[in-house]
Structures are given as C-alpha cells and as structure tokens.
Amino acid sequence: MVIQQAKEVLRIESEGILNLIDRIGQEFADAVDLIYQAKGRVIVTGIGKSGIVGRKIVATFSSTGTPSLFLHPVEAMHGDLGMLVKDDIVLALSNSGETVELNALMPIIRGLGAKVVAMTGGLHSTLAGNADVVLDVGVAREACPLGLAPMASTTAALAMGDALAAALINRRHFNSFDFRRLHPGGNLGERLSLQVSEVMTTGRSVPEVAAGTPVTEAIKIMDERNLGVLLVVAPDKKLEGLFTDGDLRRCLVKGVKMEGLKMADLMNRSPRTIGKSILAVEALEIMQAHEFTILPIVDRENRLEGVIHLHDLLGKGKIRFNPPIPVYE
C-alpha cells in the first residue's frame, strides 16, 4: 500500500511536468524576452509553498547570470516594496491566481511601471489579469491524497522556473567560466580549479584494446570497465580510434553482424582528444559543445594518457572540475 502510494505520487507529479510541454509557446518566449531585456532584476514573489518555490527560482536565476531577489508579499506591504523599481521584472507565483496578499501588490507594481510575468494555474484569475505575460503551470490534480496540500502544482512551477533559467542561460551565452566565477567557494569551486590530469582515469581502469581485437571480445571489456567507451591503441600507446556504447547501439539498430569483425572495422579513426594540462571546465565545455560524454587524453605525440568522463566533471563519486588550453586532434 505504501509503495503504491509513493509510486502514485511520483506518477501524478511527473504527469504535471510532462503536461507543461505542450503549453510552451509564444508566452514562454515572451517571458524570456522580458527578463533578458530588462535593465533591472527579476523580483520573484509568492506566499506559502509558492513562495518557497520562488526562493529556489531566485537561487537558480542568480547563480546562472540572471540577478534576482525574493520579495515576500506581506513584507512588501510593510516597506520591502522599496526594493522594486520600474526597470525590474516581477515573476509572481500563485497556483490559483487569487492569493489575496499577492494580488494586493499588483496595482502598486503596475503603478511603478514594472512588468509582470505570472506563473499560475488560474488563467482567468486576478493575477493573470494583472500580468503582461501568463505562464500556465496548472495541474489536473494534486498528488496529496486529500487533494489539499500543493504537491504536483509546486513541482510544475519549480520545473517551469528551471525551464526559464535554462532558456536564459542560452540567451545570455552564460557558460561554465561564468558559472565558476559565481561559485568560488565550496566543493564546486574546488572542482572548477583543477586540471584534467587531476581527475582523469588512468592505468588499468582505462578500457584499451588493439585494433585487431574481435568486436565481441572488446565489448566484454567495455562492459567490465563500465566507462561506455573502448580506446583502440597501437603497441606504442598511440591512439588509433575510439568506439562508444553509442556506436554499439547504432550498429545494433543497423543490424551490423558483429561476429568476425575486429575493432579496426568499426572504430572512429579521428576522435576528438584533449591534453591533460587543460582545465577540467574546458573539457566540460568541449563535451557540451559536441554532446560527448567522454574524451581521450593524449600527449603531443598522440599517445594515450587517460580518459575523462562527464561523471568525473559533474559529480558521480569524488570529483572536481575547471578552463583554456591545448586540444590535440
């Protein structure tokens, strides 16, 4: 019973997010444009659970290049409204759109000349009527067994906030260098200051095979080393090619018969490589730009020195990561 309830909650909340996809249209693009072009900050406001979601959105915006502040509606009515100026954009959160404390602010905000983006499930609500742009985050039902506590609705609002943040990251061309600048402390800051040589996989953990290795035998090595790649090397350690689990899937889809084939028949003979002296965040930039999850690390003579996986940069286990320097191809 408990397990089924848990699964049902996750099912309802996931449906709430998935149903947002078809609602992403011109209104979303308009909201991104308003925020991007604003000369001021994003002032996020909401009360109760919506306020908690709003604080998280502020944290995400601020850490990814969109200056933001949280304004509590009640405190706003007692002086904190002074933090708002006409060049700001107000992002107002209310599931119903009829939150009294929030709607009491709207005439004042509009009087100041600030633009309002409403994130609500009440498309014909008071809040929606006061907004320049309305983002529909309504859900068919809450995951709460009583149908009372906001669960699916807050999850949907949080996801929409992440969608806005991601769109703004791309619009601002905000990159890992910028992200590092805003995260100088803590574990993440430590990762961002390291060279590839400090986080790469080396030695027997690297899945190396010879060009003449039968594909069926090589795949067993790929599975054992669990890095999703095979690095094809010559006796002098020079990198000759690369074969990934993605290459394997594509071969299977095409119906390629593996029996009798050797790695030389299937490998990518011109893989992108990097040098071990580059900073790990630049390796991440290369992975993001080319949609790679792994990069071989070679010296200037193209001899294999190691390999770095996306997990080494983003956090599976003990890792770290950081920018610029030589890329050998």
Side-chain angles (χ1 to χ4, degrees):
M1 179 64 176
V2 171
I3 292 173
Q4 286 306 115
Q5 279 185 330
K7 289 182 177 180
E8 182 65 9
V9 167
L10 296 177
R11 186 176 298 111
I12 293 171
E13 296 205 359
S14 63
E15 288 173 357
I17 293 176
L18 289 173
N19 288 336
L20 296 180
I21 294 174
D22 292 335
R23 302 179 211 164
I24 299 293
Q26 188 57 48
E27 294 84 1
F28 183 85
D30 291 343
V32 172
D33 284 342
L34 275 179
I35 295 171
Y36 175 73
Q37 294 171 7
K39 296 178 181 178
R41 304 147 303 172
V42 178
I43 307 298
V44 182
T45 185
I47 202 165
K49 306 299 187 297
S50 293
I52 294 170
V53 171
R55 292 179 189 277
K56 192 277 179 183
I57 293 173
V58 165
T60 302
F61 278 180
S62 296
S63 70
T64 54
T66 298
S68 306
L69 290 171
F70 181 77
L71 176 64
H72 193 287
V74 175
E75 297 298 335
M77 298 298 285
H78 293 272
D80 280 4
L81 199 55
M83 72 172 63
L84 179 68
V85 298
K86 67 179 180 65
D87 290 330
D88 292 335
I89 298 293
V90 174
L91 178 60
L93 282 67
S94 170
N95 183 37
S96 67
E98 298 298 345
T99 304
V100 174
E101 298 90 342
L102 189 57
N103 286 328
L105 289 178
M106 289 300 113
I108 305 171
I109 291 171
R110 300 315 303 252
L112 289 171
K115 299 291 187 181
V116 177
V117 176
M119 200 181 286
T120 180
L123 300 185
H124 304 289
S125 63
T126 304
L127 178 61
N130 278 296
D132 297 281
V133 179
V134 179
L135 298 179
D136 182 2
V137 292
V139 296
R141 56 177 174 151
E142 293 290 1
C144 171
L146 302 175
L148 299 174
M151 292 183 180
S153 57
T154 50
T155 302
L158 189 61
M160 185 64 80
D162 286 341
L164 283 173
L168 287 161
I169 287 171
N170 288 330
R171 189 72 181 273
R172 297 184 192 283
H173 303 292
F174 188 90
N175 59 36
S176 299
F177 301 95
D178 301 316
F179 191 79
R180 182 190 61 171
R181 180 173 50 82
L182 298 178
H183 295 76
N187 206 26
L188 181 58
E190 180 186 351
R191 292 184 214 166
L192 290 168
S193 65
L194 298 177
Q195 291 186 331
V196 162
S197 60
E198 298 179 78
V199 294
M200 68 186 190
T201 298
T202 59
R204 293 181 59 82
S205 298
V206 178
E208 298 179 27
V209 294
T213 305
V215 172
T216 50
E217 179 183 328
I219 290 173
K220 293 178 182 178
I221 296 173
M222 178 190 284
D223 184 56
E224 290 170 2
R225 304 296 166 83
N226 197 30
L227 283 177
V229 70
L230 288 166
L231 300 160
V232 184
V233 295
D236 62 358
K237 294 287 287 184
K238 286 188 177 180
L239 183 67
E240 295 188 317
L242 177 145
F243 186 75
T244 68
D245 52 5
D247 294 326
L248 175 59
R249 288 194 300 273
R250 284 183 282 275
C251 285
L252 293 174
V253 169
K254 293 177 181 178
V256 176
K257 304 298 183 183
M258 303 292 182
E259 294 77 5
L261 294 180
K262 300 185 185 302
M263 288 308 303
D265 300 317
L266 297 178
M267 68 184 185
N268 172 4
R269 295 178 178 273
S270 55
R272 178 173 286 272
T273 61
I274 58 174
K276 68 180 180 181
S277 63
I278 83 168
L279 294 174
V281 75
E282 190 183 7
L284 178 60
E285 291 281 348
I286 294 170
M287 289 180 180
Q288 290 173 332
H290 298 280
E291 298 185 352
F292 295 154
T293 59
I294 200 157
L295 285 169
I297 298 157
V298 299
D299 64 13
R300 293 186 178 275
E301 279 69 51
N302 202 44
R303 289 189 294 264
L304 184 67
E305 296 191 303
V307 65
I308 190 162
H309 193 283
L310 186 63
H311 288 156
D312 298 328
L313 304 179
L314 295 184
K316 184 179 180 181
K318 287 174 105 182
I319 36 244
R320 324 155 263 217
F321 72 80
N322 208 8
I325 313 304
V327 174
Y328 310 124
E329 298 181 303

